[in-house]
PDB file of all heavy atoms in Angstrom:
ATOM      1  N   ASN A   1       0.811  -1.192  -0.011  1.00 90.00           N
ATOM      2  CA  ASN A   1      -0.016   0.035   0.001  1.00 90.00           C
ATOM      3  C   ASN A   1       0.864   1.257   0.032  1.00 90.00           C
ATOM      4  O   ASN A   1       1.943   1.268   0.659  1.00 90.00           O
ATOM      5  CB  ASN A   1      -0.907  -0.003   1.268  1.00 90.00           C
ATOM      6  CG  ASN A   1      -2.093   0.864   1.049  1.00 90.00           C
ATOM      7  OD1 ASN A   1      -1.977   2.055   0.811  1.00 90.00           O
ATOM      8  ND2 ASN A   1      -3.281   0.294   1.213  1.00 90.00           N
ATOM      9  N   ASP A   2       0.479   2.274  -0.704  1.00 87.00           N
ATOM     10  CA  ASP A   2       1.246   3.508  -0.678  1.00 87.00           C
ATOM     11  C   ASP A   2       1.134   4.159   0.700  1.00 87.00           C
ATOM     12  O   ASP A   2       2.003   4.997   1.055  1.00 87.00           O
ATOM     13  CB  ASP A   2       0.820   4.487  -1.788  1.00 87.00           C
ATOM     14  CG  ASP A   2      -0.684   4.513  -2.056  1.00 87.00           C
ATOM     15  OD1 ASP A   2      -1.445   4.143  -1.160  1.00 87.00           O
ATOM     16  OD2 ASP A   2      -1.039   4.872  -3.150  1.00 87.00           O
ATOM     17  N   PHE A   3       0.166   3.782   1.439  1.00 86.00           N
ATOM     18  CA  PHE A   3       0.042   4.279   2.832  1.00 86.00           C
ATOM     19  C   PHE A   3       1.271   3.817   3.693  1.00 86.00           C
ATOM     20  O   PHE A   3       1.647   4.448   4.647  1.00 86.00           O
ATOM     21  CB  PHE A   3      -1.263   3.794   3.467  1.00 86.00           C
ATOM     22  CG  PHE A   3      -1.389   4.165   4.893  1.00 86.00           C
ATOM     23  CD1 PHE A   3      -1.742   5.448   5.277  1.00 86.00           C
ATOM     24  CD2 PHE A   3      -1.231   3.195   5.928  1.00 86.00           C
ATOM     25  CE1 PHE A   3      -1.854   5.804   6.625  1.00 86.00           C
ATOM     26  CE2 PHE A   3      -1.374   3.563   7.249  1.00 86.00           C
ATOM     27  CZ  PHE A   3      -1.649   4.855   7.619  1.00 86.00           C
ATOM     28  N   LEU A   4       1.811   2.687   3.279  1.00 90.00           N
ATOM     29  CA  LEU A   4       3.007   2.100   4.065  1.00 90.00           C
ATOM     30  C   LEU A   4       4.316   2.640   3.577  1.00 90.00           C
ATOM     31  O   LEU A   4       5.352   2.259   4.090  1.00 90.00           O
ATOM     32  CB  LEU A   4       3.008   0.586   3.859  1.00 90.00           C
ATOM     33  CG  LEU A   4       1.777  -0.184   4.486  1.00 90.00           C
ATOM     34  CD1 LEU A   4       1.825  -1.661   4.070  1.00 90.00           C
ATOM     35  CD2 LEU A   4       1.699  -0.025   5.974  1.00 90.00           C
ATOM     36  N   ALA A   5       4.327   3.594   2.599  1.00 87.00           N
ATOM     37  CA  ALA A   5       5.531   4.205   2.136  1.00 87.00           C
ATOM     38  C   ALA A   5       6.190   5.062   3.204  1.00 87.00           C
ATOM     39  O   ALA A   5       5.425   5.723   3.937  1.00 87.00           O
ATOM     40  CB  ALA A   5       5.296   4.943   0.850  1.00 87.00           C
ATOM     41  N   PRO A   6       7.473   5.103   3.331  1.00 85.00           N
ATOM     42  CA  PRO A   6       8.143   6.060   4.355  1.00 85.00           C
ATOM     43  C   PRO A   6       8.040   7.459   3.975  1.00 85.00           C
ATOM     44  O   PRO A   6       8.276   8.374   4.761  1.00 85.00           O
ATOM     45  CB  PRO A   6       9.548   5.498   4.410  1.00 85.00           C
ATOM     46  CG  PRO A   6       9.809   4.933   3.021  1.00 85.00           C
ATOM     47  CD  PRO A   6       8.464   4.315   2.642  1.00 85.00           C
ATOM     48  N   THR A   7       7.691   7.794   2.665  1.00 78.00           N
ATOM     49  CA  THR A   7       7.578   9.203   2.252  1.00 78.00           C
ATOM     50  C   THR A   7       6.108   9.563   2.272  1.00 78.00           C
ATOM     51  O   THR A   7       5.445   9.411   3.270  1.00 78.00           O
ATOM     52  CB  THR A   7       8.190   9.373   0.849  1.00 78.00           C
ATOM     53  OG1 THR A   7       7.545   8.391  -0.031  1.00 78.00           O
ATOM     54  CG2 THR A   7       9.667   9.132   0.925  1.00 78.00           C
ATOM     55  N   ASP A   8       5.548  10.045   1.143  1.00 67.00           N
ATOM     56  CA  ASP A   8       4.123  10.460   1.071  1.00 67.00           C
ATOM     57  C   ASP A   8       3.336   9.176   1.074  1.00 67.00           C
ATOM     58  O   ASP A   8       3.706   8.092   0.532  1.00 67.00           O
ATOM     59  CB  ASP A   8       3.857  11.304  -0.073  1.00 67.00           C
ATOM     60  CG  ASP A   8       4.116  10.582  -1.391  1.00 67.00           C
ATOM     61  OD1 ASP A   8       5.262  10.554  -1.841  1.00 67.00           O
ATOM     62  OD2 ASP A   8       3.123   9.990  -1.966  1.00 67.00           O
ATOM     63  N   GLY A   9       2.058   9.242   1.623  1.00 60.00           N
ATOM     64  CA  GLY A   9       1.231   8.073   1.657  1.00 60.00           C
ATOM     65  C   GLY A   9      -0.066   8.300   0.917  1.00 60.00           C
ATOM     66  O   GLY A   9      -1.031   7.698   1.232  1.00 60.00           O
ATOM     67  N   ASP A  10      -0.065   9.191  -0.078  1.00 68.00           N
ATOM     68  CA  ASP A  10      -1.314   9.432  -0.840  1.00 68.00           C
ATOM     69  C   ASP A  10      -1.670   8.288  -1.781  1.00 68.00           C
ATOM     70  O   ASP A  10      -0.816   7.639  -2.312  1.00 68.00           O
ATOM     71  CB  ASP A  10      -1.164  10.725  -1.689  1.00 68.00           C
ATOM     72  CG  ASP A  10      -1.064  11.962  -0.845  1.00 68.00           C
ATOM     73  OD1 ASP A  10      -1.524  11.906   0.336  1.00 68.00           O
ATOM     74  OD2 ASP A  10      -0.444  12.973  -1.288  1.00 68.00           O
ATOM     75  N   ASP A  11      -2.963   8.067  -1.904  1.00 70.00           N
ATOM     76  CA  ASP A  11      -3.463   7.101  -2.895  1.00 70.00           C
ATOM     77  C   ASP A  11      -3.213   7.545  -4.322  1.00 70.00           C
ATOM     78  O   ASP A  11      -3.698   8.615  -4.737  1.00 70.00           O
ATOM     79  CB  ASP A  11      -4.922   6.822  -2.733  1.00 70.00           C
ATOM     80  CG  ASP A  11      -5.224   5.918  -1.589  1.00 70.00           C
ATOM     81  OD1 ASP A  11      -4.490   4.935  -1.384  1.00 70.00           O
ATOM     82  OD2 ASP A  11      -6.212   6.210  -0.818  1.00 70.00           O
ATOM     83  N   GLU A  12      -2.378   6.776  -5.059  1.00 79.00           N
ATOM     84  CA  GLU A  12      -2.108   7.134  -6.432  1.00 79.00           C
ATOM     85  C   GLU A  12      -1.407   5.946  -7.149  1.00 79.00           C
ATOM     86  O   GLU A  12      -0.746   5.188  -6.465  1.00 79.00           O
ATOM     87  CB  GLU A  12      -1.135   8.355  -6.543  1.00 79.00           C
ATOM     88  CG  GLU A  12       0.137   8.188  -5.833  1.00 79.00           C
ATOM     89  CD  GLU A  12       0.999   9.443  -5.969  1.00 79.00           C
ATOM     90  OE1 GLU A  12       0.641  10.392  -6.567  1.00 79.00           O
ATOM     91  OE2 GLU A  12       2.214   9.370  -5.481  1.00 79.00           O
ATOM     92  N   PHE A  13      -1.718   5.798  -8.419  1.00 87.00           N
ATOM     93  CA  PHE A  13      -1.040   4.788  -9.222  1.00 87.00           C
ATOM     94  C   PHE A  13      -1.280   3.345  -8.634  1.00 87.00           C
ATOM     95  O   PHE A  13      -2.434   2.894  -8.588  1.00 87.00           O
ATOM     96  CB  PHE A  13       0.447   5.067  -9.411  1.00 87.00           C
ATOM     97  CG  PHE A  13       0.671   6.438  -9.999  1.00 87.00           C
ATOM     98  CD1 PHE A  13       1.930   7.015  -9.924  1.00 87.00           C
ATOM     99  CD2 PHE A  13      -0.292   7.097 -10.674  1.00 87.00           C
ATOM    100  CE1 PHE A  13       2.176   8.275 -10.485  1.00 87.00           C
ATOM    101  CE2 PHE A  13      -0.065   8.357 -11.286  1.00 87.00           C
ATOM    102  CZ  PHE A  13       1.199   8.939 -11.160  1.00 87.00           C
ATOM    103  N   TYR A  14      -0.269   2.609  -8.215  1.00 89.00           N
ATOM    104  CA  TYR A  14      -0.465   1.309  -7.556  1.00 89.00           C
ATOM    105  C   TYR A  14      -0.724   1.635  -6.090  1.00 89.00           C
ATOM    106  O   TYR A  14       0.175   1.929  -5.327  1.00 89.00           O
ATOM    107  CB  TYR A  14       0.771   0.481  -7.721  1.00 89.00           C
ATOM    108  CG  TYR A  14       0.704  -0.856  -6.957  1.00 89.00           C
ATOM    109  CD1 TYR A  14      -0.476  -1.566  -6.852  1.00 89.00           C
ATOM    110  CD2 TYR A  14       1.810  -1.395  -6.300  1.00 89.00           C
ATOM    111  CE1 TYR A  14      -0.555  -2.781  -6.142  1.00 89.00           C
ATOM    112  CE2 TYR A  14       1.796  -2.555  -5.576  1.00 89.00           C
ATOM    113  CZ  TYR A  14       0.551  -3.256  -5.549  1.00 89.00           C
ATOM    114  OH  TYR A  14       0.544  -4.425  -4.839  1.00 89.00           O
ATOM    115  N   THR A  15      -1.970   1.525  -5.679  1.00 89.00           N
ATOM    116  CA  THR A  15      -2.348   2.035  -4.324  1.00 89.00           C
ATOM    117  C   THR A  15      -2.610   0.915  -3.358  1.00 89.00           C
ATOM    118  O   THR A  15      -2.554   1.113  -2.131  1.00 89.00           O
ATOM    119  CB  THR A  15      -3.575   2.963  -4.412  1.00 89.00           C
ATOM    120  OG1 THR A  15      -3.864   3.475  -3.142  1.00 89.00           O
ATOM    121  CG2 THR A  15      -4.821   2.155  -4.953  1.00 89.00           C
ATOM    122  N   GLN A  16      -2.922  -0.318  -3.789  1.00 91.00           N
ATOM    123  CA  GLN A  16      -3.304  -1.386  -2.840  1.00 91.00           C
ATOM    124  C   GLN A  16      -3.045  -2.764  -3.452  1.00 91.00           C
ATOM    125  O   GLN A  16      -3.427  -3.033  -4.619  1.00 91.00           O
ATOM    126  CB  GLN A  16      -4.753  -1.241  -2.423  1.00 91.00           C
ATOM    127  CG  GLN A  16      -5.366  -2.492  -1.908  1.00 91.00           C
ATOM    128  CD  GLN A  16      -5.029  -2.789  -0.482  1.00 91.00           C
ATOM    129  OE1 GLN A  16      -4.552  -1.898   0.228  1.00 91.00           O
ATOM    130  NE2 GLN A  16      -5.213  -4.029  -0.003  1.00 91.00           N
ATOM    131  N   GLY A  17      -2.424  -3.663  -2.729  1.00 93.00           N
ATOM    132  CA  GLY A  17      -2.248  -5.053  -3.131  1.00 93.00           C
ATOM    133  C   GLY A  17      -2.330  -5.922  -1.922  1.00 93.00           C
ATOM    134  O   GLY A  17      -1.677  -5.683  -0.903  1.00 93.00           O
ATOM    135  N   LEU A  18      -3.128  -7.028  -1.982  1.00 94.00           N
ATOM    136  CA  LEU A  18      -3.302  -7.973  -0.905  1.00 94.00           C
ATOM    137  C   LEU A  18      -3.120  -9.357  -1.465  1.00 94.00           C
ATOM    138  O   LEU A  18      -3.782  -9.705  -2.450  1.00 94.00           O
ATOM    139  CB  LEU A  18      -4.649  -7.808  -0.249  1.00 94.00           C
ATOM    140  CG  LEU A  18      -4.938  -8.654   0.996  1.00 94.00           C
ATOM    141  CD1 LEU A  18      -4.018  -8.287   2.124  1.00 94.00           C
ATOM    142  CD2 LEU A  18      -6.378  -8.513   1.432  1.00 94.00           C
ATOM    143  N   LEU A  19      -2.220 -10.145  -0.794  1.00 94.00           N
ATOM    144  CA  LEU A  19      -1.939 -11.503  -1.321  1.00 94.00           C
ATOM    145  C   LEU A  19      -1.981 -12.434  -0.235  1.00 94.00           C
ATOM    146  O   LEU A  19      -1.305 -12.253   0.887  1.00 94.00           O
ATOM    147  CB  LEU A  19      -0.564 -11.548  -1.974  1.00 94.00           C
ATOM    148  CG  LEU A  19      -0.028 -12.867  -2.491  1.00 94.00           C
ATOM    149  CD1 LEU A  19      -0.891 -13.334  -3.680  1.00 94.00           C
ATOM    150  CD2 LEU A  19       1.447 -12.793  -2.904  1.00 94.00           C
ATOM    151  N   LEU A  20      -2.700 -13.550  -0.344  1.00 93.00           N
ATOM    152  CA  LEU A  20      -2.800 -14.618   0.672  1.00 93.00           C
ATOM    153  C   LEU A  20      -2.318 -15.923  -0.005  1.00 93.00           C
ATOM    154  O   LEU A  20      -2.842 -16.281  -1.067  1.00 93.00           O
ATOM    155  CB  LEU A  20      -4.179 -14.821   1.230  1.00 93.00           C
ATOM    156  CG  LEU A  20      -4.414 -16.060   2.134  1.00 93.00           C
ATOM    157  CD1 LEU A  20      -3.564 -15.915   3.402  1.00 93.00           C
ATOM    158  CD2 LEU A  20      -5.879 -16.238   2.425  1.00 93.00           C
ATOM    159  N   THR A  21      -1.322 -16.579   0.559  1.00 92.00           N
ATOM    160  CA  THR A  21      -0.753 -17.784  -0.025  1.00 92.00           C
ATOM    161  C   THR A  21      -0.773 -18.886   0.954  1.00 92.00           C
ATOM    162  O   THR A  21      -0.414 -18.711   2.116  1.00 92.00           O
ATOM    163  CB  THR A  21       0.671 -17.502  -0.510  1.00 92.00           C
ATOM    164  OG1 THR A  21       0.769 -16.404  -1.342  1.00 92.00           O
ATOM    165  CG2 THR A  21       1.211 -18.731  -1.229  1.00 92.00           C
ATOM    166  N   LEU A  22      -1.121 -20.134   0.493  1.00 89.00           N
ATOM    167  CA  LEU A  22      -1.105 -21.296   1.331  1.00 89.00           C
ATOM    168  C   LEU A  22      -0.301 -22.386   0.656  1.00 89.00           C
ATOM    169  O   LEU A  22      -0.487 -22.643  -0.615  1.00 89.00           O
ATOM    170  CB  LEU A  22      -2.473 -21.850   1.531  1.00 89.00           C
ATOM    171  CG  LEU A  22      -3.511 -20.928   2.294  1.00 89.00           C
ATOM    172  CD1 LEU A  22      -4.929 -21.459   2.224  1.00 89.00           C
ATOM    173  CD2 LEU A  22      -3.076 -20.752   3.759  1.00 89.00           C
ATOM    174  N   ASP A  23       0.624 -23.067   1.394  1.00 87.00           N
ATOM    175  CA  ASP A  23       1.512 -24.112   0.747  1.00 87.00           C
ATOM    176  C   ASP A  23       1.293 -25.389   1.439  1.00 87.00           C
ATOM    177  O   ASP A  23       1.131 -25.492   2.643  1.00 87.00           O
ATOM    178  CB  ASP A  23       2.970 -23.690   0.906  1.00 87.00           C
ATOM    179  CG  ASP A  23       3.510 -23.152  -0.376  1.00 87.00           C
ATOM    180  OD1 ASP A  23       2.718 -22.674  -1.189  1.00 87.00           O
ATOM    181  OD2 ASP A  23       4.769 -23.168  -0.587  1.00 87.00           O
ATOM    182  N   ARG A  24       1.271 -26.460   0.631  1.00 83.00           N
ATOM    183  CA  ARG A  24       1.089 -27.815   1.192  1.00 83.00           C
ATOM    184  C   ARG A  24       2.404 -28.397   1.617  1.00 83.00           C
ATOM    185  O   ARG A  24       3.531 -27.989   1.176  1.00 83.00           O
ATOM    186  CB  ARG A  24       0.491 -28.772   0.151  1.00 83.00           C
ATOM    187  CG  ARG A  24      -0.973 -28.479  -0.160  1.00 83.00           C
ATOM    188  CD  ARG A  24      -1.446 -29.282  -1.302  1.00 83.00           C
ATOM    189  NE  ARG A  24      -1.554 -30.716  -0.937  1.00 83.00           N
ATOM    190  CZ  ARG A  24      -2.597 -31.326  -0.507  1.00 83.00           C
ATOM    191  NH1 ARG A  24      -3.728 -30.656  -0.247  1.00 83.00           N
ATOM    192  NH2 ARG A  24      -2.562 -32.616  -0.216  1.00 83.00           N
ATOM    193  N   HIS A  25       2.360 -29.370   2.537  1.00 78.00           N
ATOM    194  CA  HIS A  25       3.587 -30.146   2.868  1.00 78.00           C
ATOM    195  C   HIS A  25       4.121 -30.868   1.614  1.00 78.00           C
ATOM    196  O   HIS A  25       3.381 -31.346   0.773  1.00 78.00           O
ATOM    197  CB  HIS A  25       3.200 -31.194   3.969  1.00 78.00           C
ATOM    198  CG  HIS A  25       4.352 -31.828   4.594  1.00 78.00           C
ATOM    199  ND1 HIS A  25       5.187 -32.728   3.949  1.00 78.00           N
ATOM    200  CD2 HIS A  25       4.815 -31.735   5.863  1.00 78.00           C
ATOM    201  CE1 HIS A  25       6.103 -33.165   4.757  1.00 78.00           C
ATOM    202  NE2 HIS A  25       5.846 -32.612   5.970  1.00 78.00           N
ATOM    203  N   PRO A  26       5.477 -30.859   1.456  1.00 75.00           N
ATOM    204  CA  PRO A  26       6.044 -31.521   0.302  1.00 75.00           C
ATOM    205  C   PRO A  26       5.577 -32.930   0.103  1.00 75.00           C
ATOM    206  O   PRO A  26       5.397 -33.459  -1.030  1.00 75.00           O
ATOM    207  CB  PRO A  26       7.577 -31.446   0.568  1.00 75.00           C
ATOM    208  CG  PRO A  26       7.785 -30.263   1.364  1.00 75.00           C
ATOM    209  CD  PRO A  26       6.535 -30.163   2.250  1.00 75.00           C
ATOM    210  N   ASP A  27       5.346 -33.723   1.210  1.00 75.00           N
ATOM    211  CA  ASP A  27       4.831 -35.079   1.131  1.00 75.00           C
ATOM    212  C   ASP A  27       3.401 -35.149   0.653  1.00 75.00           C
ATOM    213  O   ASP A  27       2.910 -36.222   0.317  1.00 75.00           O
ATOM    214  CB  ASP A  27       5.034 -35.802   2.400  1.00 75.00           C
ATOM    215  CG  ASP A  27       6.470 -36.034   2.825  1.00 75.00           C
ATOM    216  OD1 ASP A  27       7.340 -35.886   1.938  1.00 75.00           O
ATOM    217  OD2 ASP A  27       6.748 -36.282   3.993  1.00 75.00           O
ATOM    218  N   ALA A  28       2.709 -33.999   0.668  1.00 75.00           N
ATOM    219  CA  ALA A  28       1.295 -33.944   0.245  1.00 75.00           C
ATOM    220  C   ALA A  28       1.201 -33.401  -1.161  1.00 75.00           C
ATOM    221  O   ALA A  28       0.040 -33.085  -1.629  1.00 75.00           O
ATOM    222  CB  ALA A  28       0.487 -33.163   1.194  1.00 75.00           C
ATOM    223  N   THR A  29       2.237 -33.225  -1.884  1.00 75.00           N
ATOM    224  CA  THR A  29       2.148 -32.766  -3.256  1.00 75.00           C
ATOM    225  C   THR A  29       1.403 -33.762  -4.120  1.00 75.00           C
ATOM    226  O   THR A  29       1.712 -35.017  -4.080  1.00 75.00           O
ATOM    227  CB  THR A  29       3.633 -32.592  -3.859  1.00 75.00           C
ATOM    228  OG1 THR A  29       4.360 -31.666  -2.991  1.00 75.00           O
ATOM    229  CG2 THR A  29       3.579 -32.092  -5.259  1.00 75.00           C
ATOM    230  N   PRO A  30       0.412 -33.349  -4.894  1.00 76.00           N
ATOM    231  CA  PRO A  30      -0.349 -34.274  -5.693  1.00 76.00           C
ATOM    232  C   PRO A  30       0.518 -34.965  -6.808  1.00 76.00           C
ATOM    233  O   PRO A  30       1.519 -34.405  -7.148  1.00 76.00           O
ATOM    234  CB  PRO A  30      -1.463 -33.390  -6.362  1.00 76.00           C
ATOM    235  CG  PRO A  30      -0.922 -31.998  -6.194  1.00 76.00           C
ATOM    236  CD  PRO A  30      -0.077 -31.981  -5.028  1.00 76.00           C
ATOM    237  N   LYS A  31       0.037 -36.099  -7.208  1.00 77.00           N
ATOM    238  CA  LYS A  31       0.829 -36.924  -8.098  1.00 77.00           C
ATOM    239  C   LYS A  31       1.124 -36.162  -9.437  1.00 77.00           C
ATOM    240  O   LYS A  31       2.282 -36.234  -9.941  1.00 77.00           O
ATOM    241  CB  LYS A  31       0.160 -38.213  -8.442  1.00 77.00           C
ATOM    242  CG  LYS A  31       0.105 -39.163  -7.291  1.00 77.00           C
ATOM    243  CD  LYS A  31      -0.529 -40.506  -7.693  1.00 77.00           C
ATOM    244  CE  LYS A  31      -0.506 -41.472  -6.543  1.00 77.00           C
ATOM    245  NZ  LYS A  31      -1.181 -42.811  -6.887  1.00 77.00           N
ATOM    246  N   TRP A  32       0.160 -35.437  -9.967  1.00 75.00           N
ATOM    247  CA  TRP A  32       0.352 -34.785 -11.234  1.00 75.00           C
ATOM    248  C   TRP A  32       1.401 -33.668 -11.070  1.00 75.00           C
ATOM    249  O   TRP A  32       2.250 -33.426 -11.962  1.00 75.00           O
ATOM    250  CB  TRP A  32      -0.957 -34.160 -11.753  1.00 75.00           C
ATOM    251  CG  TRP A  32      -1.594 -33.143 -10.889  1.00 75.00           C
ATOM    252  CD1 TRP A  32      -2.556 -33.373  -9.949  1.00 75.00           C
ATOM    253  CD2 TRP A  32      -1.288 -31.749 -10.856  1.00 75.00           C
ATOM    254  NE1 TRP A  32      -2.925 -32.148  -9.289  1.00 75.00           N
ATOM    255  CE2 TRP A  32      -2.203 -31.179  -9.854  1.00 75.00           C
ATOM    256  CE3 TRP A  32      -0.493 -30.923 -11.533  1.00 75.00           C
ATOM    257  CZ2 TRP A  32      -2.141 -29.797  -9.562  1.00 75.00           C
ATOM    258  CZ3 TRP A  32      -0.435 -29.582 -11.282  1.00 75.00           C
ATOM    259  CH2 TRP A  32      -1.316 -29.031 -10.277  1.00 75.00           C
ATOM    260  N   ALA A  33       1.394 -32.995  -9.897  1.00 75.00           N
ATOM    261  CA  ALA A  33       2.395 -31.991  -9.655  1.00 75.00           C
ATOM    262  C   ALA A  33       3.775 -32.600  -9.460  1.00 75.00           C
ATOM    263  O   ALA A  33       4.799 -32.038  -9.849  1.00 75.00           O
ATOM    264  CB  ALA A  33       1.980 -31.147  -8.396  1.00 75.00           C
ATOM    265  N   SER A  34       3.787 -33.791  -8.822  1.00 74.00           N
ATOM    266  CA  SER A  34       5.110 -34.445  -8.607  1.00 74.00           C
ATOM    267  C   SER A  34       5.705 -34.873  -9.955  1.00 74.00           C
ATOM    268  O   SER A  34       6.893 -34.795 -10.172  1.00 74.00           O
ATOM    269  CB  SER A  34       4.865 -35.658  -7.729  1.00 74.00           C
ATOM    270  OG  SER A  34       4.564 -35.266  -6.478  1.00 74.00           O
ATOM    271  N   LYS A  35       4.864 -35.319 -10.878  1.00 76.00           N
ATOM    272  CA  LYS A  35       5.365 -35.728 -12.245  1.00 76.00           C
ATOM    273  C   LYS A  35       5.931 -34.492 -12.934  1.00 76.00           C
ATOM    274  O   LYS A  35       7.025 -34.622 -13.603  1.00 76.00           O
ATOM    275  CB  LYS A  35       4.204 -36.386 -13.033  1.00 76.00           C
ATOM    276  CG  LYS A  35       3.772 -37.724 -12.485  1.00 76.00           C
ATOM    277  CD  LYS A  35       2.671 -38.247 -13.363  1.00 76.00           C
ATOM    278  CE  LYS A  35       2.216 -39.628 -12.839  1.00 76.00           C
ATOM    279  NZ  LYS A  35       1.100 -40.205 -13.617  1.00 76.00           N
ATOM    280  N   ILE A  36       5.239 -33.386 -12.874  1.00 77.00           N
ATOM    281  CA  ILE A  36       5.727 -32.226 -13.495  1.00 77.00           C
ATOM    282  C   ILE A  36       7.022 -31.763 -12.839  1.00 77.00           C
ATOM    283  O   ILE A  36       7.993 -31.374 -13.521  1.00 77.00           O
ATOM    284  CB  ILE A  36       4.699 -31.028 -13.420  1.00 77.00           C
ATOM    285  CG1 ILE A  36       3.464 -31.396 -14.239  1.00 77.00           C
ATOM    286  CG2 ILE A  36       5.252 -29.703 -13.926  1.00 77.00           C
ATOM    287  CD1 ILE A  36       2.329 -30.400 -14.120  1.00 77.00           C
ATOM    288  N   SER A  37       7.126 -31.840 -11.493  1.00 74.00           N
ATOM    289  CA  SER A  37       8.297 -31.502 -10.729  1.00 74.00           C
ATOM    290  C   SER A  37       9.478 -32.329 -11.169  1.00 74.00           C
ATOM    291  O   SER A  37      10.573 -31.774 -11.368  1.00 74.00           O
ATOM    292  CB  SER A  37       8.063 -31.625  -9.237  1.00 74.00           C
ATOM    293  OG  SER A  37       6.957 -30.801  -8.809  1.00 74.00           O
ATOM    294  N   ASP A  38       9.262 -33.622 -11.319  1.00 74.00           N
ATOM    295  CA  ASP A  38      10.362 -34.504 -11.714  1.00 74.00           C
ATOM    296  C   ASP A  38      10.950 -34.117 -13.092  1.00 74.00           C
ATOM    297  O   ASP A  38      12.156 -34.042 -13.263  1.00 74.00           O
ATOM    298  CB  ASP A  38       9.875 -35.950 -11.752  1.00 74.00           C
ATOM    299  CG  ASP A  38       9.579 -36.491 -10.384  1.00 74.00           C
ATOM    300  OD1 ASP A  38      10.088 -35.906  -9.372  1.00 74.00           O
ATOM    301  OD2 ASP A  38       8.811 -37.489 -10.271  1.00 74.00           O
ATOM    302  N   LYS A  39      10.012 -33.882 -14.019  1.00 75.00           N
ATOM    303  CA  LYS A  39      10.473 -33.541 -15.416  1.00 75.00           C
ATOM    304  C   LYS A  39      11.161 -32.122 -15.431  1.00 75.00           C
ATOM    305  O   LYS A  39      12.245 -32.008 -16.001  1.00 75.00           O
ATOM    306  CB  LYS A  39       9.274 -33.560 -16.359  1.00 75.00           C
ATOM    307  CG  LYS A  39       8.707 -34.928 -16.576  1.00 75.00           C
ATOM    308  CD  LYS A  39       7.593 -34.873 -17.594  1.00 75.00           C
ATOM    309  CE  LYS A  39       7.004 -36.287 -17.797  1.00 75.00           C
ATOM    310  NZ  LYS A  39       5.885 -36.264 -18.791  1.00 75.00           N
ATOM    311  N   LEU A  40      10.615 -31.187 -14.788  1.00 75.00           N
ATOM    312  CA  LEU A  40      11.149 -29.883 -14.748  1.00 75.00           C
ATOM    313  C   LEU A  40      12.491 -29.874 -13.942  1.00 75.00           C
ATOM    314  O   LEU A  40      13.440 -29.223 -14.302  1.00 75.00           O
ATOM    315  CB  LEU A  40      10.193 -28.838 -14.130  1.00 75.00           C
ATOM    316  CG  LEU A  40       9.010 -28.459 -14.967  1.00 75.00           C
ATOM    317  CD1 LEU A  40       8.060 -27.535 -14.141  1.00 75.00           C
ATOM    318  CD2 LEU A  40       9.457 -27.670 -16.222  1.00 75.00           C
ATOM    319  N   GLY A  41      12.498 -30.609 -12.863  1.00 70.00           N
ATOM    320  CA  GLY A  41      13.654 -30.713 -11.994  1.00 70.00           C
ATOM    321  C   GLY A  41      14.893 -31.205 -12.701  1.00 70.00           C
ATOM    322  O   GLY A  41      16.010 -30.694 -12.512  1.00 70.00           O
TER     323      GLY A  41
END
């Protein structure tokens, strides 16, 4: 958020971004993802 900037905090241009991420345990990686991982790896 531009409100979190150490300088001016006015709303302008890129003014807000919110991201929530959840990750699974490596042992719980689905089979299709594991196959892709093996080939890419």
Side-chain angles (χ1 to χ4, degrees):
N1 200 303
D2 38 23
F3 176 75
L4 297 172
T7 54
D8 63 275
D10 291 336
D11 280 319
E12 59 180 3
F13 302 162
Y14 174 39
T15 184
Q16 159 77 18
L18 185 65
L19 177 68
L20 174 64
T21 307
L22 301 168
D23 259 22
R24 291 174 67 92
H25 191 292
D27 292 344
T29 301
K31 289 183 179 180
W32 62 267
S34 296
K35 291 180 180 179
I36 295 175
S37 300
D38 291 341
K39 293 181 180 180
L40 288 175

